[in-house]
Every structure is written in C-alpha cells, then in structure tokens.
C-alpha cells in the first residue's frame, strides 16, 4: 500500500484532483497562499479524489491554522519591524549520496531570495563523487571534513559560514523556495538562537516509508511554537524539531558551545546531536522557534533494513544524549524523562505491537529501538573517548 | 564660542568610577560630529569626584553634583543644565553602541517625542539560574516593545536609555524627585497623558552591564512596592496596572498566604525569605528549574508586599487606598467606531487620525469586538487594529464575515467551516 504525496494550494485549487500512478490514497499537504496549514489523507478512486468527499473533508478539517492564514491573506499581514533581516548561509552536510545531493542543491539554488553563501561539507568521503556534484554549482563552496561524524561536519559548517544565521538541510531533503525566508523571519528576536521547520515526506512509496511517517514523522504540526525554559523541559526536546531542517545563529558556539562531536551519525551514538544542542540552548535560557512555514520535503529510507537501523540509531541517540546530560550537566530530570517515555510511549507501543490491535510498528522494529536505547549510555562513553582521541 | 549641541546626554552616577568611565568612553565613540553632543555627568554620590581619569578627547563633559538627593533629582539637575533641544538619559552602567545618539536623534526627527533604546543585558555578578532569569527578564521586556503592534504604557518608560524632547521634559516639570523608584513610570504617565509620541528604537542600543544579585533584586522589589503606593496616591487610575492593584481587581483577600506575611506577621517575613533563599540553592543543585523559578517569583512577590506594607501599614489602610483609588474621578475615555467593511487600511488610517483610547470594531454593522482603553497607555494606532484583526478579533471577524454573507463561511456546532470547500472568489479587505 503506497500513498501519493500531493502539494496542494487551496487558493489555486483546480476543480478536479487527479492522482496519477495508481495510488490507492493520497496525503495532501494543504497550503493557503503558499503557507502550509494542514494535511489530509484521502482515498483515491479511479485515479482521482472525489470532489464532494474532498469538500466535506476540508469543511471538517478547517482549523485555526487554516483560518489565520486565510485571514492574513484577506486583510494583509502585520507590519514587520524595522530590524534588518540577518544574512544567511545554507549548509548541507553529506556523505556519499550524490543523487540525493543533486536534488537537494538544485532546490537550494531555487531559494527566493538566495542566501549569502552555500557550503557543502563532505564528511569522510570514500570517493570524489560529492566534490564532482558540488562542482556543478559554481557559486557553492565545497569543504572536506575528514575527521569525526555529522556533528563534526556541522561544526565545520558553522566555522565556514559567512552569514549571521546558518540554515542546515539534509542531503536527502528538498527545500521549498520560501524555506529560508520563513526560517530567518524568526531571528528578529535576540532571544532566539535556533529555528526549526516543517519536514514533510517527499514520497511514501514503500512500507518502510509509511511506517516511518506514521511512527516518527519529522513534521511537528502546523502551528508556530516557541520553546523556552518556561514552556519546555530542556530534556524533552523531541517536539522542537530535527537537524534535517533547522537554522542556528552563527554565534551559537560562542554562547552555548559547539555541537558535541561525540554525538550523532558517524559515531557510536548514531543520532541525538541536534537534540542535545536544542537541550543546551534551552538550558542556557534562550529560545527555539518551530516555524511550520519553513517547509522541506524529506525522502525517508525505502527499505525495512534501513528503517530498522534508523530506529535503532534514534534509541541510541536519545539515551546517549540523556547520559551526557546526566554526567556533564548533573541533570537528574533524565530519570523522569526516561520513565515517562517508557511508561507513556514505549510500553504501550510494545503492548499494541504484541496484541496486534492496531496497525502500528511491527515488533521487530520496536525491538530495534529498545536495543538502541540499551546501547545508548555505553555508546556515549565510547564515542566520547574517540572524540577525545581525535582532538589529541 | 561653541555652537549649541543637538543632544545633551545626562548620566547620573553614584560611586561607580569604573563603569562611568566605560560609559563616557562609549559616548566618545559616537558616529556624530563632536560639536553636536554634550554630556552632563551628575554625581549624586558625594565624596571623591567620580571621574577617575580624563574624559575622552573631543567629548564635551560637564560635571554637576547633587549629593544624595536621588537619581530623579540628579536627572532633573542635568536636564536643567542642558543646552540641546533633545535630552538623552543614560545610566552609568550602560555602554552605548556607536549609533545610539544618532538613532535617538533620527527617531525624534521622524516625529517621536519620547524614545526608548534597546538595552541588551550582560549579567556580570549573577551566575547560574539567576543570571539566566535576569537576562531573560530584560530581553522579554524589550522583545515586547520591539513588536510593531506594541501599545506603549507608562510602564515601558525606563530611564536607563531614553530620549525626550527638552521642551516636553520642561513642560512636564521633570521627574518627581520625591520618588526614589519608578519615577520613570511616573514621568511616563504624565508624558503619555500630555500626548507624547512614544517609540522603541532598536538601533539606539546600549549594553547594560547588569550587576544585580538576588539580594539587590529583593531590595529593588521592596522599593517598587513603596513606590507603587506613592504612584497610586498621585495617579489613582494606574492602580489596576500595578501588582498592588490585585487588591481590588483579582481577589479581595489579596495578598494571601506567604505573600500576605508582611501584613500579618511582619516579624517572620524576613526569616521566611532567608529560608526560601536556602531552598533556592538546593533546587538549583538538583537542577529543578520549575520549582526554582516558582520559588524565586514567590520571594520577589514577598519582598514587593514588604515594601507595600512598609508604606501603607495595615491591611485596612491598603483597602482604604484601593477604595479611594477606585472612587477617584477618572478621565473619560474617548471611543472611536470603525467598520471593517470600509477596508482595513481605511479603518487603520481613521484610528491613526483619531488618537482614541478605545475602538469599537464592526463589520457591516455586525459587532466584532473592541480594543479597550488602558490606563496610562498611548492612544490607539492603526497597527494595533491590524494586529488585533489577525489575533484577538480574528474569530469574531470570521463569524461576522459569514453572517454578512461576504465570505462563504458557516458556523456548524461552534466551529467555523468553509462552505463549498472555501470562499473561492477573492475577498480583499486590505
């Protein structure tokens, strides 16, 4: 069972909605005048979505995200402040995915307006293919990072960047032309050190992609949210967003420190580097904004094997990050967070998988996540030793 | 003879030679022709002259002394000596950015008569949770003023970095020197009532070298409690805008519990504060942020009520004050009626022109809502209407649009639903 993914602007809506490709259903990203306002999944019959069914669904669905976008369009939006917009660098950290990278960089080239500069960090390359891809984009800069994993590459990007803000996109994502503008708008407040955006699935063709989107989607909804110490715990940063679609002030390393090179892809901890940064930003009293207008399309991994590895990596990353918070930050709240995830997330999920009551994650995938969690603490110490050895 | 300067910067100071010379150095680096700027340093401390070394070359600095009569009196003395048509009040712990004076000057040339400059805080003495809280407190205050749709009230007028037309300042008679705290609120109240055009000026930034500790914050809260009572005595209508106003506006028995300790058992309030202080340290060591923050707010409120109690005495006297304030004749509010069917731009322009205290908003005669009058606030401007339309008034406006039949919206069981998928033909209210 596959799902077509359709980008659908309600203001420019054509009369009928054709869905080629023989998909049985479709996920619609709904926009109003370009602004993402919601999503709907509808059945596809004979290659089209029935008009009355669509209208009924839209009438049921219309919520405040839609109405506020509609009203802003009708009455014009709030006047902007007098502060000049910050300049921006777009950074892509990549490793041996030349085909994805071409699509990614083409989208970056179509950004309106274009960024000050673009840096592609090639993380421990095995071949010269990434360099060759970047050479096709003459104004983009190539930086080769032979040491460390994804977080080392992110630090490198922060050092290479010339803009006031560094916007990160993953190499397997395609950004919307308005992505950068939407991210930058939020930096007019000096308390904001980081903005994350809405990440939608680019395709849902395989079971693995559907499961990923159902179980751990990147999207965090269609309402703008501000995170700070009064509204969020620095140890529960899942709702903030993810590193595939985020922008940081270039001054972040000076204010709260660099990305921890013992975390995330390319190290034993496998993930968690983005969330650990969010955690530190919040603990230092600064703000993070989730901005759904900053839209990006992510191609999820296609095979079940890749999905299993991804989920195991997430488990490891979360527990590695909590281990770091406990030993480095003396944050005892880690135990409370781990208990809450177990009690309200993981155990009920496991029960559902065993009884098979609802169509959720298969047991094998859940087991991978649990194994990942158990490996997290030791993985953190191993990765820390490796990172220290690199520095020597 | 040198020509009259365009700007007089008044810097009151008290026993802080090091921070004063940092402030003067920063004023020496302004991107402004040297003759356009004079600085009046008012020493309110007595003893040694405050300037440990020479003022920066090319900066015209005069020194006055008021010897301990308070910051309000010091600023008045500085303003009396001013020769320029624009006054900038700058605290001695503020390090001006090179564009500060020019940015204030330009905002006044564009029509403002009272401008507040940005004051990003650098928390120096405080560490840990307290430093974070202090920095956020300052940042939130200025973030709110930075919003284009912010409605300024007397509580936004801070003298750490503000500029006021000299003529207006003298017309108002300067600061009320009998107040030792919140004299800026008090001046702001009179300035706004006299029709001052208030603006926030982000580019007029000065770094505020904040040296407050928890002890000094508590002391400051006590002073605020005392000052707020004096403020209510002078301008009764501000009662509802101040924390002390909770007496009449939220619950009649306020302040209750720990907060009321200063009235009920004044002897123990100090000991309780000391105990709470120790628990703060424990919560910080355990990284329990929520509890720590709630505890801190409790302590600050307790200190505030200590100040209030010190000024009024008993609960009965506090209630008398509140009753007298409520009974005092208030200035009648000016209301304006607008109908959004004339277009938002036209309605906003009418609000700008009317300078009303409150606005009633309708759409084709159907009620939408109101922007209410606020004591001590500037008159409503068009941006306030624009912001309300996409925020607080949005839902009733959508309903009114549906009722009038101008947009294909209907109400179904308390929800608004777009009819026939959505209002297809463009409705434009700009």
């Amino acid at each position: 069972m596959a799902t077509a993914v359709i980008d659908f602007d309600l203001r420019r809506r054509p009369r009928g909605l054709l869905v080629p490709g023989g998909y049985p259903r479709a996920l619609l990203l709904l926009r109003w005048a370009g602004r993402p306002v919601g999503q709907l999944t509808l059945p596809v019959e004979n290659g089209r979505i029935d008009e009355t069914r669509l209208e009924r669904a839209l009438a049921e669905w219309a919520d405040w995200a839609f109405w506020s976008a509609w009203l802003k369009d009708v009455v014009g939006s709030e006047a902007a402040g007098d502060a000049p917009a910050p300049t921006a660098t777009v950074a892509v950290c990549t490793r041996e995915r030349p085909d994805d990278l071409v699509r990614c960089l083409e989208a970056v080239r179509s950004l309106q307006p274009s960024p000050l500069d673009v840096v592609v960090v090639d993380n421990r390359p095995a071949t010269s293919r990434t360099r060759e891809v970047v050479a096709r984009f003459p104004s983009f800069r190539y930086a080769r990072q032979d040491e460390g994993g994804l977080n080392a590459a992110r630090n490198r990007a922060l050092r290479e960047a010339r803009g006031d803000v560094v916007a990160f996109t993953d190499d397997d994502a395609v950004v919307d032309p308005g992505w950068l503008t939407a991210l930058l708008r939020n930096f007019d407040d000096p308390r904001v050190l980081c903005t994350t955006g809405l990440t939608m699935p680019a395709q849902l063709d395989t079971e693995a992609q559907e499961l990923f989107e159902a179980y751990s989607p990147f999207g965090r909804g269609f309402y703008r949210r501000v995170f700070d110490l009064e509204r969020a715990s620095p140890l529960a940063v899942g709702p903030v967003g993810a590193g595939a679609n985020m922008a940081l002030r270039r001054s972040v390393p000076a204010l709260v420190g660099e990305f921890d090179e013992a975390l995330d892809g390319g190290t034993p901890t496998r993930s968690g580097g983005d969330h650990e940064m969010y955690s530190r930003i919040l603990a230092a009293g600064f703000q993070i904004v989730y901005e759904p207008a900053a839209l990006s399309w992510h191609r999820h991994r296609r095979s079940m094997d890749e999905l299993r590895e991804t989920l195991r990596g997430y488990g490891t990353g979360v527990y590695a990050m909590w281990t770091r918070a406990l030993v480095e930050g003396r944050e005892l709240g880690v135990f409370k967070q781990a208990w809450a995830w177990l009690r309200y997330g993981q155990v009920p999920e496991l029960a559902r998988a065993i009884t098979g009551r609802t169509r959720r994650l298969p047991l094998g995938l859940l087991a991978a996540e649990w194994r990942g969690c158990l490996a997290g603490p030791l993985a953190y110490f191993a990765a820390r030793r490796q990172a220290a050895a690199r520095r020597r | 003879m040198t020509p009259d300067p365009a700007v007089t910067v008044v810097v009151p100071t008290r026993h802080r030679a090091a921070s004063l010379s940092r402030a003067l150095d920063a004023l020496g680096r302004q991107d402004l022709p040297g003759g356009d700027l004079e600085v009046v340093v008012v020493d309110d401390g007595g003893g040694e002259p405050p300037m440990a070394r020479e003022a920066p070359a090319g900066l015209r600095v005069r020194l006055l002394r008021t010897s301990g009569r308070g910051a309000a009196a010091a600023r008045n003395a500085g303003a009396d000596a001013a020769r320029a048509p624009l006054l900038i009040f700058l605290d001695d712990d503020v390090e001006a950015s090179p564009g500060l004076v020019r940015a204030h000057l330009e905002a006044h040339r564009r029509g403002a008569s009272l401008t507040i400059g940005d004051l990003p805080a650098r928390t120096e003495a405080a560490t840990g949770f307290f430093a974070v809280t202090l920095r956020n407190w300052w940042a939130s205050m200025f973030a709110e003023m930075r919003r284009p749709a912010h409605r300024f009230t007397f509580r936004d007028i801070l003298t750490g970095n503000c500029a006021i037309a000299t003529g207006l300042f003298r017309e108002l008679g300067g600061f009320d020197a009998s107040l030792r705290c919140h004299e800026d609120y008090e001046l702001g109240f009179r300035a706004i009532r006299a029709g001052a055009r208030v603006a926030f000026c982000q580019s007029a930034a000065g770094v505020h070298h904040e040296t407050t500790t928890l002890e000094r914050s508590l002391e400051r809260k006590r002073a605020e409690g005392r000052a707020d009572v004096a403020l209510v005595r002078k301008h009764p209508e501000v009662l509802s805008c101040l924390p002390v106003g909770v007496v009449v506006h939220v619950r009649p028995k306020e302040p209750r519990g720990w907060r009321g300790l200063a009235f009920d058992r004044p002897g123990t309030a100090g000991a309780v504060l000391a105990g709470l202080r120790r628990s703060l340290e424990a919560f910080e060591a355990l990284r329990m942020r929520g509890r720590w923050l709630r505890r801190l707010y409790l302590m600050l409120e307790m200190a505030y009520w200590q100040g209030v109690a010190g000024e009024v005495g008993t609960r009965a006297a506090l209630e008398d004050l509140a009753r007298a304030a409520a009974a005092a004749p208030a200035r009648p509010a000016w209301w304006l009626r607008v109908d959004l069917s004339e277009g938002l731009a036209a309605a906003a322009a009418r609000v700008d022109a009317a300078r009303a205290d409150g606005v009633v908003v309708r759409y084709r005669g159907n009620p939408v809502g109101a922007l209410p009058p606020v004591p001590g606030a500037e008159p409503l401007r068009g941006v306030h209407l624009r912001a309300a339309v996409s925020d607080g008034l949005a839902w009733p406006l959508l309903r009114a649009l549906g009722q009038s039949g101008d947009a294909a919206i209907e109400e179904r069981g308390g929800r608004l639903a777009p009819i026939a998928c959505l209002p297809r033909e463009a409705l434009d209210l700009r």
Side-chain angles (χ1 to χ4, degrees):
Chain A
M1 282 278 274
T3 304
V5 178
I6 296 173
D7 187 356
F8 188 62
D9 197 315
L10 291 164
R11 199 167 71 164
R12 290 189 223 114
R13 188 173 71 87
R15 280 226 155 245
L17 190 54
L18 297 177
V19 183
Y23 290 96
R25 46 171 200 268
L27 169 71
L28 308 182
L29 170 74
L30 304 168
R31 308 207 206 197
W32 182 266
R35 195 188 161 80
V37 290
Q39 63 180 55
L40 272 179
T41 302
L42 287 172
V44 176
E45 286 152 354
N46 306 321
R48 60 187 298 139
I49 294 174
D50 179 60
E51 176 116 355
T52 24
R53 195 198 286 270
L54 174 64
E55 307 223 323
R56 209 180 316 128
L58 287 171
E60 287 298 312
W61 152 85
D63 66 358
W64 180 236
F66 165 74
W67 284 117
S68 65
W70 183 80
L71 200 59
K72 282 209 175 90
D73 185 34
V74 167
V75 300
S77 54
E78 196 182 337
D82 67 340
T87 58
T89 295
V90 172
V92 185
C93 300
T94 185
R95 182 164 196 270
E96 300 304 334
R97 281 184 192 158
D99 299 339
D100 282 337
L101 186 64
V102 172
R103 276 191 294 274
C104 167
L105 295 183
E106 277 168 358
V108 169
R109 189 165 55 186
S110 312
L111 284 171
Q112 284 300 329
S114 16
L116 183 71
D117 61 338
V118 177
V119 178
V120 180
V121 181
D122 194 1
N123 197 190
R124 283 189 297 175
T127 69
S128 62
R129 289 185 300 172
T130 300
R131 182 191 287 273
E132 287 153 20
V133 167
V134 180
R136 285 193 249 159
F137 297 83
S139 64
F140 295 4
R141 231 155 359 114
Y142 173 87
R144 182 178 166 135
Q145 173 69 29
D146 280 319
E147 298 271 277
L150 177 55
N151 265 5
R154 286 177 175 141
N155 284 336
R156 175 72 182 274
L158 284 170
R159 285 194 297 271
E160 295 279 340
R162 294 177 192 145
D164 304 325
V165 168
V166 187
F168 289 89
T169 173
D170 272 9
D171 55 5
D172 49 4
V174 169
V175 295
D176 189 65
W179 172 71
L180 189 60
T181 315
L183 284 174
L184 290 182
R185 208 166 35 221
N186 297 286
F187 287 98
D188 63 346
D189 188 327
R191 292 172 296 175
V192 175
L193 289 197
C194 173
T195 302
T196 60
L198 167 67
T199 307
M200 292 294 293
Q203 49 170 241
L204 294 172
D205 287 351
T206 69
E207 198 191 351
Q209 290 178 324
E210 298 241 42
L211 282 170
F212 182 86
E213 189 57 25
Y215 184 67
S216 59
F218 278 133
R220 299 291 187 272
F222 295 88
Y223 291 94
R224 181 179 184 271
R225 285 182 68 185
V226 178
F227 294 87
D228 60 22
L229 280 182
E230 302 224 346
R231 283 168 273 204
S233 158
L235 297 173
V237 284
V240 170
N245 181 355
M246 67 172 178
L248 298 173
R249 270 188 215 280
R250 201 182 44 176
S251 58
V252 160
L255 291 168
V256 303
E258 291 195 302
F259 282 99
D260 183 347
E261 298 193 359
L263 290 173
D264 225 313
T267 76
T269 57
R270 294 154 162 268
S271 77
D274 45 358
H275 284 178
E276 192 275 326
M277 176 54 90
Y278 302 156
S279 170
R280 235 179 312 140
I281 287 174
L282 293 179
F286 295 100
Q287 290 185 340
I288 306 177
V289 178
Y290 170 64
E291 172 56 82
L295 174 66
S296 170
W297 302 88
H298 181 259
R299 193 178 66 80
H300 301 332
R301 305 269 73 85
R302 293 181 67 92
S303 75
M304 287 303 255
D305 287 345
E306 286 171 306
L307 176 62
R308 191 175 302 116
E309 281 309 291
T310 302
L311 292 178
R312 197 177 116 204
Y314 285 172
T316 308
V318 171
Y319 269 74
M321 175 197 132
W322 280 340
T323 308
R324 182 191 192 278
L326 191 63
V327 299
E328 302 263 316
R330 292 179 293 127
E331 299 277 359
L332 300 176
V334 162
F335 294 109
K336 196 169 139 193
Q337 294 297 336
W339 166 251
W341 190 27
L342 205 61
R343 169 71 183 78
Y344 300 104
Q346 293 177 297
V347 169
E349 196 70 45
L350 190 67
R352 276 198 291 273
I354 291 169
T355 57
R357 264 199 307 238
T358 47
R359 189 181 156 279
R360 288 303 297 244
L361 214 55
L363 203 53
L365 292 178
L366 270 182
E369 186 187 88
W370 284 73
R371 276 204 307 280
C373 292
L374 291 174
L378 289 178
Y380 171 67
F381 290 114
R384 202 162 71 153
R385 277 194 301 277
Q386 288 179 11
R390 269 202 306 280
R391 274 197 300 275
R392 272 200 300 274
Chain B
M1 202 184 121
T2 47
D4 275 359
V7 180
T8 300
V9 180
V10 176
V11 184
T13 187
R14 233 182 119 85
H15 301 305
R16 289 203 289 204
S19 75
L20 178 66
S21 54
R22 182 177 56 209
L24 292 179
D25 285 345
L27 286 173
R29 291 191 299 266
Q30 292 297 301
D31 56 3
L32 201 70
D36 277 359
L37 175 68
E38 68 164 358
V39 177
V40 179
V41 173
V42 190
D43 175 28
D44 193 43
E48 288 289 298
M51 273 175 280
R53 56 191 178 75
E54 293 280 302
L59 190 66
R60 285 197 267 169
V61 182
R62 281 186 287 156
L63 178 66
L64 304 177
R65 321 201 71 161
T66 48
S67 52
R69 288 192 285 131
R75 289 195 186 95
N76 283 343
D80 285 344
R83 284 182 297 162
L86 181 66
L87 283 170
I88 296 181
F89 292 108
L90 211 59
D91 281 352
D92 64 357
D93 56 359
V94 173
E95 187 180 357
S97 66
L100 183 141
V101 171
R102 179 194 289 275
H104 276 301
L105 199 57
E106 280 170 3
H108 281 257
R109 281 184 185 146
R110 284 194 303 266
S113 50
L114 178 48
T115 50
I116 312 296
D118 197 10
L119 274 180
R122 192 166 292 165
T123 50
E124 285 167 354
T127 55
F129 286 10
F130 188 67
V132 166
T133 309
L134 202 59
R135 200 184 56 226
N136 279 344
W137 183 78
W138 280 104
S140 314
M141 195 163 49
F142 289 104
E144 174 54 36
M145 277 198 254
R146 190 177 297 117
R147 282 180 44 234
H150 175 66
R151 187 177 183 186
F152 286 93
T153 79
F154 67 101
R155 289 180 300 159
D156 294 320
I157 311 306
L158 308 164
T159 38
N161 172 10
C162 87
I164 182 168
T166 311
L168 174 63
F169 185 82
R170 289 186 181 151
E171 255 168 58
L172 294 170
F175 291 101
D176 179 344
S178 72
L179 295 173
R180 287 298 174 115
C181 174
H182 280 177
E183 72 280 2
D184 40 8
Y185 281 20
E186 200 276 334
L187 180 81
F189 181 84
R190 285 183 288 130
I192 289 173
R193 200 174 51 186
R197 301 216 176 221
V198 187
F200 176 71
C201 213
Q202 167 127 45
S203 38
V207 174
H208 176 203
H209 293 265
E210 170 67 88
T211 52
T212 301
T213 58
L214 178 58
E215 264 64 40
R216 287 179 52 182
S217 287
L218 292 172
E219 200 37 62
R220 164 87 193 170
K221 278 286 158 193
R222 286 185 196 105
E224 286 181 4
R226 287 191 294 271
D228 282 0
V229 171
L231 217 54
V232 170
R233 284 187 180 134
K234 193 165 179 186
H235 306 291
E237 59 189 291
V238 302
L239 177 69
S240 62
C241 308
L242 299 173
V244 62
V246 77
V247 176
V248 281
H249 283 269
V250 182
R251 280 173 300 216
K253 283 291 171 208
E254 288 288 346
R256 294 196 297 184
W258 297 106
R259 292 166 185 82
L261 217 55
F263 283 100
D264 305 330
R265 309 176 80 178
T268 56
V272 171
L273 271 175
L276 287 171
R277 172 76 214 254
R278 230 154 281 139
S279 75
L280 268 194
E281 286 158 16
F283 286 133
E284 177 157 2
L286 294 168
R287 296 285 186 273
M288 294 166 87
R289 289 187 179 79
R291 279 166 206 275
W292 183 90
L293 201 61
R294 284 196 293 278
R295 229 19 99 91
L296 176 74
Y297 286 150
L298 174 64
M299 291 171 67
L300 293 173
E301 283 182 61
M302 283 180 67
Y304 178 82
W305 287 107
Q306 278 184 318
V308 172
E311 190 71 22
V312 299
T314 61
R315 271 182 190 276
L318 180 65
E319 276 164 31
D320 285 346
L321 176 75
R323 229 182 333 251
R331 201 174 55 97
W334 278 93
W335 285 89
L336 172 74
R337 286 193 174 76
V338 295
D339 198 296
L340 290 176
S341 59
E342 64 188 301
L344 184 62
R350 289 220 293 128
V351 174
D352 273 327
R355 296 180 65 76
D357 300 312
V359 175
V360 176
V361 184
R362 292 168 185 269
Y363 184 81
R364 286 205 196 285
N366 291 317
V368 173
L371 307 181
V374 174
E378 63 168 336
L380 285 161
R381 287 178 282 134
V383 284
H384 299 136
L385 180 68
R386 282 181 183 280
V389 158
S390 52
D391 187 28
L393 297 182
W395 206 251
L397 174 60
L398 288 166
R399 193 174 289 135
L401 283 169
Q403 279 165 1
S404 65
D406 284 356
I409 302 170
E410 68 176 13
E411 206 168 338
R412 291 184 195 167
R415 295 183 67 248
L416 291 174
I419 305 170
C421 173
L422 43 95
R424 197 175 259 133
E425 56 280 31
L427 174 73
D428 204 331
L429 284 179
R430 290 153 204 262

